[in-house]
């Protein structure tokens, strides 16, 4: 996210305020599992179409999710953080994001020096200058590779490399075992999903995936969501009785 901002001019184009807003936005829009929200929504819409779910029911579900996210994920968490103190909440990583502004602080100091020396506007910071701006050059190279992979993927069914895999390869989600357990577990889950799909496709063909594997995976997803809701309710009840050490993992 911030590479795109830098490729379009960075501080020279947007100024300190614009870059601060971009830094804050990138902190929750391009981090780990949040990258999967939009693809999951598309998958859910496609499943709704396959199972002939009415558009009214889909709209109701979307509005319910939005309100729940604002009221539970936003208002309730802020109330708890204010009531107990951010450092006292068991899940404290949300309140320890000061490190994400280190790059902004360093760049702001550098831009102050550039303004005093008159070197603020230069080819290295020009908007989308793919020859001089290293961030723009990186985006251009990545875009070309992504397009080539997409074309090859659409032309040859046997082509194994997916363009989305290349796009996500450098993201925090793909960081692996050096980070949170969720990131480390992603590779195992992705490998098992790929292996199961290959085996089912070889044994039963596309019909087995469409009529057997897809409903099974939908059931697993619904079971995971149900278990999360159950543990959340149990955690809320236990919290009312002063018990703070409750299960809070993601299935």
């Amino acid at each position: 996210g911030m590479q795109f901002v830098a490729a379009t001019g960075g501080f020279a184009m947007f100024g300190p305020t614009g870059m601060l807003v971009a830094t804050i936005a990138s902190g929750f829009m391009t981090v780990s599992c949040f990258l999967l929200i939009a693809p999951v929504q598309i998958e859910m819409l496609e499943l709704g179409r396959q199972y002939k779910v009415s558009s009214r029911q889909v709209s109701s579900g979307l509005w319910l999710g939005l309100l729940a996210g604002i009221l539970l994920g936003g208002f309730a968490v802020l109330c708890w953080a204010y009531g107990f103190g951010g450092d006292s909440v068991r899940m404290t990583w949300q309140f320890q994001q000061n490190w994400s502004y280190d790059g902004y602080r360093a760049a702001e100091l550098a831009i102050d020096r550039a303004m005093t020396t008159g070197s603020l506007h230069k080819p290295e910071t020009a908007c989308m200058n793919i020859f001089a701006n290293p961030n723009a050059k990186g985006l251009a190279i990545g875009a070309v590779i992504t397009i080539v992979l997409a074309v090859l993927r659409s032309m040859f069914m046997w082509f194994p490399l997916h363009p989305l895999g290349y796009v996500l390869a450098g993201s925090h989600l793909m960081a692996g075992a050096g980070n949170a357990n969720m990131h480390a577990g992603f590779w195992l889950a992705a490998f098992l999903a790929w292996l199961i799909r290959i085996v089912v496709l070889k044994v039963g063909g596309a019909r087995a995936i469409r009529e057997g594997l897809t409903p099974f995976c939908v059931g697993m997803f619904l079971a995971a969501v149900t278990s999360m809701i159950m543990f959340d309710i149990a955690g809320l009840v236990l919290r009312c009785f002063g018990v703070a050490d409750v299960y809070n993992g993601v299935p």
Side-chain angles (χ1 to χ4, degrees):
M2 292 305 296
Q3 184 181 6
F4 176 78
V5 176
T8 54
F11 273 92
M13 176 68 70
F14 303 103
T17 303
M19 291 298 293
L20 179 60
V21 172
T23 302
I24 296 174
S26 67
F28 63 87
M29 293 179 64
T30 60
V31 175
S32 62
C33 60
F34 296 140
L35 292 172
L36 300 178
I37 293 177
V40 168
Q41 290 175 335
I42 298 299
E43 290 291 339
M44 293 300 102
L45 291 175
E46 177 61 21
L47 286 175
R49 186 189 66 82
Q50 292 182 9
Y51 289 102
K52 297 180 174 58
V53 179
S54 66
S55 58
R56 182 176 180 180
Q57 292 175 326
V58 172
S59 300
S60 300
L62 291 175
W63 279 108
L64 181 62
L66 176 63
L67 293 176
I70 295 175
L71 296 177
L72 298 180
F75 179 74
V77 172
L78 289 177
C79 289
W80 289 340
Y82 180 79
F84 297 106
D87 293 334
S88 300
V89 179
R90 181 57 60 94
M91 293 292 291
T92 57
W93 67 268
Q94 300 95 329
F95 308 99
Q96 298 174 351
Q97 299 294 311
N98 187 49
W99 60 268
S100 62
Y101 296 94
D102 292 341
Y104 170 81
R105 297 188 187 98
E108 187 179 24
L109 293 176
I111 209 67
D112 289 339
R113 292 191 294 267
M115 291 182 65
T116 57
T117 59
S119 59
L120 176 60
H121 298 280
K122 53 185 179 180
E124 288 78 5
T125 59
C127 178
M128 298 307 294
N129 187 337
I130 62 174
F131 299 102
N133 189 328
N135 292 287
K137 184 185 297 184
L139 285 180
I141 295 174
V144 171
I145 295 176
T146 303
I147 293 173
V148 171
L149 292 177
V151 171
L152 293 175
R153 181 80 175 183
S154 62
M155 293 178 60
F156 306 104
M157 293 186 61
W158 53 264
F159 189 73
L161 301 180
H162 199 287
L164 288 180
Y166 171 75
V167 172
L168 294 176
S171 65
H172 189 62
L173 180 65
M174 303 295 180
N179 290 273
N181 293 332
M182 181 181 66
H183 303 152
F186 171 81
W187 287 102
L188 177 60
F191 171 75
L192 291 178
W194 171 82
L195 182 62
I196 292 173
R197 183 181 182 277
I198 291 297
V199 172
V200 173
L201 182 63
K202 293 293 185 181
V203 174
R207 183 176 180 180
I209 293 180
R210 183 173 58 254
E211 298 180 0
L213 186 60
T214 299
F216 175 76
C217 292
V218 172
M220 289 186 61
F221 173 78
L222 295 177
V225 173
T226 302
S227 68
M228 292 172 65
I229 295 175
M230 292 175 58
F231 278 110
D232 285 343
I233 295 175
L236 291 174
V237 174
L238 292 174
R239 187 69 193 183
C240 293
F241 290 95
V243 179
D245 191 9
V246 296
Y247 174 79
N248 58 5
V250 178

